[in-house]
């Protein structure tokens, strides 16, 4: 398997962060000792399936168990992962993955560390994305929407680990900056006052309804997925082989851009995280622009 199939994570760009992620092809740096990468379930591109073709979460856990016993010292400190892989392409796990992984970690004394820098603060319709699966991680990182534009991040641990954090006296020059804290608190107030968690779920409905028919209607659309305001549309050359269609991704982006819509292009996946304050009419219009662009590009490429 090519390495990039292993773990399409993104956590940040320092040596330790890169060691946690599959960003090595971007940065040119290697993974530090003691960091390992394991496959995580992707419902559209599963490695292990049941007889009916659906993803088999148990097989992933069996792999982790085997890997820990034979591929590591056996003393694993933590699983660090994004609840939904953002940069990796809005890749969503099956609903049973995190509850099962949480149990797996508890049984082995391994910490579950959720990097919610992208997925927290209402992005998926909850404060923490992990709430969707009823899982409380041991460690959580927050960022991006936490300060809503103001640069502020946080690491939150379960109460029982508060002493451990005290012991390492983790600090930075700007840690606890009062203005940053005020910005984060103000963001939470706005989320509450404007009912933005609920609104993100309303937007999800709009996105979901608009995208529902695309895989049947368009030859180049392999998969559409959404959770709150985190979306992914995979463009493929062939629905059976699921071969990524980078050119289609680039052209759909360019076509939509000319019609007034922009996002951060990401190869064959239309990967988007629109603002959770977006009015419903704007969300509907944006989805229509994307659909028109897909239809035009598909025709231009001779796919339908
Ligand atoms: C999931 C995730 N973790 C961490 C980071 C990096 O955050 P920062 O830029 O605050 O270091 C990002 C940035 O895109 C991210 O998406």
């Amino acid at each position: 398997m090519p390495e990039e199939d292993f773990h399409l994570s993104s956590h940040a760009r320092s040596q330790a962060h890169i060691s946690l992620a599959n960003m090595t092809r971007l940065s040119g740096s290697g993974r530090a000792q003691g960091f390992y990468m394991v496959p995580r379930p992707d419902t559209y591109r599963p490695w292990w399936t049941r007889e009916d073709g659906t993803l088999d979460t148990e097989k992933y856990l069996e792999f982790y168990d085997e890997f820990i016993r034979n591929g590591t010292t056996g003393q694993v400190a933590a699983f660090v992962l994004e609840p939904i892989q953002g940069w990796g392409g809005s890749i969503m796990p099956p609903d049973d993955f995190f509850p099962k992984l949480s149990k797996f970690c508890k049984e082995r004394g391994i910490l579950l560390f959720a990097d919610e820098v992208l997925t927290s603060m209402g992005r998926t319709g909850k404060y923490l994305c992990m709430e969707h699966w009823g899982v409380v991680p041991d460690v959580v990182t927050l960022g991006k929407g936490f300060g809503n534009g103001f640069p502020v991040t946080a690491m939150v641990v379960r109460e029982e680990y508060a002493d451990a954090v005290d012991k390492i006296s983790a600090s930075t020059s700007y840690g606890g900056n009062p203005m940053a804290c005020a910005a984060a608190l103000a963001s939470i107030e706005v989320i509450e006052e404007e009912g933005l968690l609920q609104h993100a779920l309303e937007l999800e409905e709009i996105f979901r309804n608009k995208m529902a028919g695309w895989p049947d209607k368009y030859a180049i659309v392999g998969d559409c997925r959404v959770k709150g305001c985190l979306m992914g549309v995979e463009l493929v050359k062939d629905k059976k082989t699921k071969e990524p269609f980078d050119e289609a991704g680039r052209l759909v982006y360019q076509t939509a851009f000319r019609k007034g819509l922009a996002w951060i292009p990401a190869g064959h996946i239309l990967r988007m995280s629109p603002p959770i304050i977006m009015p419903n009419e704007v969300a509907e219009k944006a989805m229509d622009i994307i659909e028109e662009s897909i239809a035009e590009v598909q025709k231009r490429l001779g796919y339908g």
Side-chain angles (χ1 to χ4, degrees), residues 104-148:
F104 177 96
C105 288
K106 273 200 189 91
E107 284 166 1
R108 290 163 180 78
I110 297 172
L111 297 180
L112 183 57
F113 182 145
D115 177 352
E116 294 245 16
V117 164
L118 175 70
T119 50
S120 59
M121 309 314 289
R123 163 113 339 259
T124 69
K126 304 264 185 201
Y127 275 111
L128 294 184
C129 183
M130 292 293 257
E131 290 176 60
H132 286 289
W133 303 294
V135 170
V136 181
D138 298 297
V139 187
V140 174
T141 43
L142 306 174
K144 300 199 195 289
F146 187 44
N148 196 25

Side-chain angles (χ1 to χ4, degrees), residues 145-176:
F146 187 44
N148 196 25
F150 198 94
V152 52
T153 58
M155 186 183 79
V156 186
V157 300
R158 274 178 185 267
E159 183 121 41
E160 62 208 87
Y161 304 122
D163 287 353
V165 177
D166 271 352
K167 266 188 214 136
I168 57 170
S169 65
S171 77
T172 68
S173 305
Y174 303 110

